[in-house]
């Protein structure tokens, strides 16, 4: 049976800017992406039903024969897995009105399914973890680290901590994969598990507090302070102070500075002494920009920091205000706080923005990816070109440039 994870059309737009460049199920929350969670639970490969511009990079796989179609925004647990596996041909599992999963006798019927084409309906039992807003990623991260830790380590033996100068608390809650190197660090897993993926390096003086996931080949730099509920994605580098935040993959926060209650996509770089505010001075609920609504929306959260899309960068000493959203391919620099919404392919900062033209942005992406021996290939280029065109409306200075009485920059 094929496993197909679909982008729910009512959810996918709310998860921009992260879903500009990946399916919903490719979002990382906890140790694993949502797709990886389903794959581990179901013990077979999964495929994506996603936006047209993403399909070459994230293919749907086979489209004939029986298929289990699953909402890519839903994080599985053992109770939900039992309910999904119990579905009979033609049955769908719903949580109130949300389609969670369905068993299709023929995968070619998936379009009709998503348009309410299922025959029989079951209601899901128990509460579900649904990632339907960007801030849900860091909100759920600690709980998902705990669940993924149990899933990945069940019946397995951790590698030992061989460094005599590393201090360990709660050793039974620490799992170390092969190839990990630790030097003179502190690992405190008393309040939650710590997972160190294959070939991770933890450098001198780093303090790691669980729940924490440091994924494959990531580096925790000298003196880093990881305060809990953090995920450092594959091939990322992290330093300074980080709390309740996620770096998806291939991104760097290598220096001093604070990152809190934040989500950073792939191929991003935060310059030295970059700081994010995650709490307003008046302690009021944080509002952030919604691409779907086209306006700022209330998160209902007191703590909310930075949401940064793929391939975005910021210079040294950048200061992000509470609840800042940065799109894809932006380059931010200069003194002062940039605006709370930085559109995709912006170039500038608090003094104003101009457009980071696609060819130049592509040159940067190619250089950055080549450092990790990965190509900036045609599917990646096509995704970036799509996002560039789709977000043109957000770069209001481009419209203003056609009006001689209007300023070209945004203050």
């Amino acid at each position: 049976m094929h496993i197909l994870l679909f982008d729910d059309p009512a959810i996918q737009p709310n998860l921009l800017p992260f879903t500009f460049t990946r399916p919903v199920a490719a979002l990382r929350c906890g140790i694993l992406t949502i797709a990886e969670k389903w794959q581990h639970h179901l013990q077979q490969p999964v495929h994506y039903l996603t936006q047209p511009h993403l399909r070459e990079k994230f293919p749907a796989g086979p489209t004939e024969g029986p298929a289990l179609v699953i909402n890519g925004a839903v994080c599985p647990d053992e109770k939900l897995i039992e309910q999904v596996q119990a579905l009979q041909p033609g049955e769908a599992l719903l949580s109130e009105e949300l389609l969670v999963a369905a068993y299709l006798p023929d995968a070619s019927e998936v379009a009709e399914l998503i348009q309410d084409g299922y025959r029989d309906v079951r209601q899901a039992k128990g509460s579900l973890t649904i990632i339907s807003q960007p801030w849900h990623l860091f909100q759920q991260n600690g709980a998902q680290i705990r669940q993924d830790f149990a899933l990945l380590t069940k019946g397995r033996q951790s590698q030992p901590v061989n460094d005599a100068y590393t201090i360990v608390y709660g050793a039974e809650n620490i799992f170390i994969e092969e190839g990990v190197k630790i030097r003179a660090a502190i690992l405190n897993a008393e309040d939650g598990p710590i997972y160190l993926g294959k070939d991770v390096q933890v450098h001198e003086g780093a303090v790691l507090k669980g729940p924490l996931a440091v994924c494959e080949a990531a580096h925790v730099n000298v003196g880093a302070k990881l305060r809990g509920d953090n995920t450092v994605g594959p091939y990322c580098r992290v330093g300074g102070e980080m709390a309740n935040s996620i770096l998806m993959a291939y991104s760097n926060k290598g220096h001093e500075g604070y990152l809190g209650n934040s989500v950073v996509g792939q191929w991003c770089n935060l310059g030295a002494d970059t700081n994010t505010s995650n709490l307003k001075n008046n302690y009021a609920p944080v509002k952030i920009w919604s691409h779907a609504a086209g306006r700022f929306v209330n998160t209902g959260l007191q703590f909310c920091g930075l949401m940064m899309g793929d391939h975005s960068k910021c210079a040294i000493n950048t200061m992000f205000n509470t609840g800042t959203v940065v799109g894809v391919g932006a380059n931010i620099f200069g003194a002062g706080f940039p605006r709370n919404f930085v559109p995709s392919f912006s170039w500038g900062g608090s003094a104003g923005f101009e457009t980071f033209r696609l060819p130049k942005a592509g040159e940067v992406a190619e250089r950055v990816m080549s450092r990790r021996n990965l190509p900036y290939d045609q599917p990646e280029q096509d995704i970036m070109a799509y996002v560039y065109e789709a977000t043109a409306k957000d770069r209001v200075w481009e419209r203003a440039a056609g009006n001689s009485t209007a300023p070209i920059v945004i203050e």
Side-chain angles (χ1 to χ4, degrees):
M1 183 188 298
H2 313 312
I3 310 295
L4 304 175
L5 303 175
F6 72 91
D7 286 357
D8 190 316
I11 292 177
Q12 186 271 342
N14 294 329
L15 291 167
L16 300 171
F18 303 113
T19 50
F20 274 134
T21 49
R22 59 176 59 77
V24 173
L27 292 168
R28 187 176 303 278
C29 184
I31 303 172
L32 304 169
T33 67
I34 298 173
E36 290 168 345
K37 298 175 197 291
W38 283 103
Q39 184 164 303
H40 275 275
H41 275 288
L42 297 172
Q43 291 296 297
Q44 66 181 96
V46 300
H47 301 279
Y48 300 94
L49 294 173
T50 188
Q51 309 308 303
H53 71 282
L54 297 172
R55 290 173 187 168
E56 187 172 357
K57 184 176 179 180
F58 300 94
T63 56
E64 298 179 352
L68 194 58
V69 181
I70 299 170
N71 193 320
V74 179
C75 296
D77 57 27
E78 291 184 1
K79 188 172 183 178
L80 179 57
I81 291 294
E82 290 176 1
Q83 296 177 72
V84 169
Q85 291 180 324
L87 290 172
Q88 299 300 309
E91 285 188 334
L93 184 69
L94 273 66
S95 176
E96 297 181 352
E97 296 182 358
L98 178 76
L99 175 61
V100 176
Y103 184 162
L104 291 184
D106 184 353
S108 64
E109 299 172 356
V110 67
E112 292 82 0
L113 165 79
I114 298 175
Q115 297 299 321
D116 298 335
Y118 30 83
R119 188 186 69 213
D120 299 313
V121 171
R122 299 185 184 189
Q123 279 292 326
K125 299 176 182 178
S127 60
L128 303 183
T129 299
I130 302 167
I131 305 299
S132 59
Q133 296 289 347
W135 56 88
H136 292 167
L137 290 164
F138 71 75
Q139 272 190 302
Q140 296 294 334
N141 202 46
Q144 287 297 306
I145 289 172
R146 289 180 167 90
Q147 287 193 23
D148 291 348
F149 184 90
L151 178 66
L152 291 173
T153 64
K154 185 177 181 180
R156 300 177 61 212
Q157 182 69 41
S158 171
Q159 297 296 308
V161 176
N162 290 321
D163 179 58
Y165 302 100
T166 291
I167 301 172
V168 174
Y169 301 93
E172 68 279 6
N173 296 325
I174 297 172
F175 194 91
I176 300 172
E177 299 283 5
E178 292 184 359
V180 172
K181 183 178 179 181
I182 308 172
R183 292 289 180 268
I186 297 174
L187 278 60
N188 184 348
E190 292 179 328
D191 295 331
I194 294 175
Y195 176 83
L196 302 181
K198 182 180 177 182
D199 296 330
V200 160
Q201 292 194 38
V202 180
H203 295 274
E204 295 83 353
V207 180
L208 282 62
K209 185 174 176 57
L212 170 67
V214 184
C215 302
E216 180 178 353
H219 282 233
V220 180
N221 288 350
V222 171
K225 299 174 285 294
L226 307 184
R227 289 173 36 189
D229 293 339
N230 287 310
T231 294
V232 181
Y235 300 92
C236 291
R237 295 174 184 269
V238 64
E241 186 178 6
M242 182 171 163
N244 193 193
S245 295
I246 298 171
L247 302 179
M248 293 277 186
Y250 296 104
S251 288
N252 294 333
K253 179 209 171 305
H255 305 283
E256 294 300 316
Y258 177 67
L259 183 71
N261 302 95
S262 298
V263 182
V264 176
Q266 294 189 181
W267 305 109
C268 298
N269 188 73
L270 305 184
D273 285 324
T274 291
N275 284 284
T276 63
S277 168
N278 63 342
L279 174 67
K280 298 180 73 170
N281 285 354
N282 62 2
Y283 288 63
V286 179
K287 294 182 178 181
I288 71 170
W289 179 262
S290 166
H291 285 81
R295 57 182 173 81
F296 287 90
V297 298
N298 193 344
T299 66
L301 301 177
Q302 195 172 69
F303 292 92
C304 185
L306 170 69
M307 306 286 128
M308 177 178 275
D310 290 6
H311 289 285
S312 286
K313 316 283 190 294
C314 67
I316 62 170
N317 296 315
T318 300
M319 298 184 294
F320 287 111
N321 224 323
T322 320
T324 295
V325 174
V326 176
V328 174
N331 197 307
I332 303 164
F333 54 87
F337 288 92
R339 56 182 291 189
N340 285 40
F341 170 48
V342 179
S344 297
F345 298 96
S346 297
W347 176 279
S350 60
F353 288 99
E354 57 185 271
T355 300
F356 192 14
R357 299 296 178 187
L358 185 60
K360 291 295 184 182
E363 289 176 10
V364 174
E366 184 173 18
R367 291 191 201 107
V368 170
M369 294 178 70
S370 68
R371 296 175 69 235
R372 305 296 181 92
N373 298 314
L374 291 173
Y376 182 57
D377 55 16
Q378 196 60 51
E380 196 78 26
Q381 293 175 43
D382 291 344
I383 291 171
M384 293 285 275
Y386 171 86
V387 178
Y388 185 84
E389 295 299 327
T391 58
K393 63 183 183 301
D394 297 329
R395 298 186 292 273
V396 295
W397 57 88
E398 293 181 357
R399 299 197 302 271
N403 182 349
S404 61
T405 63
I408 295 178
V409 299
I410 296 177
E411 298 296 342

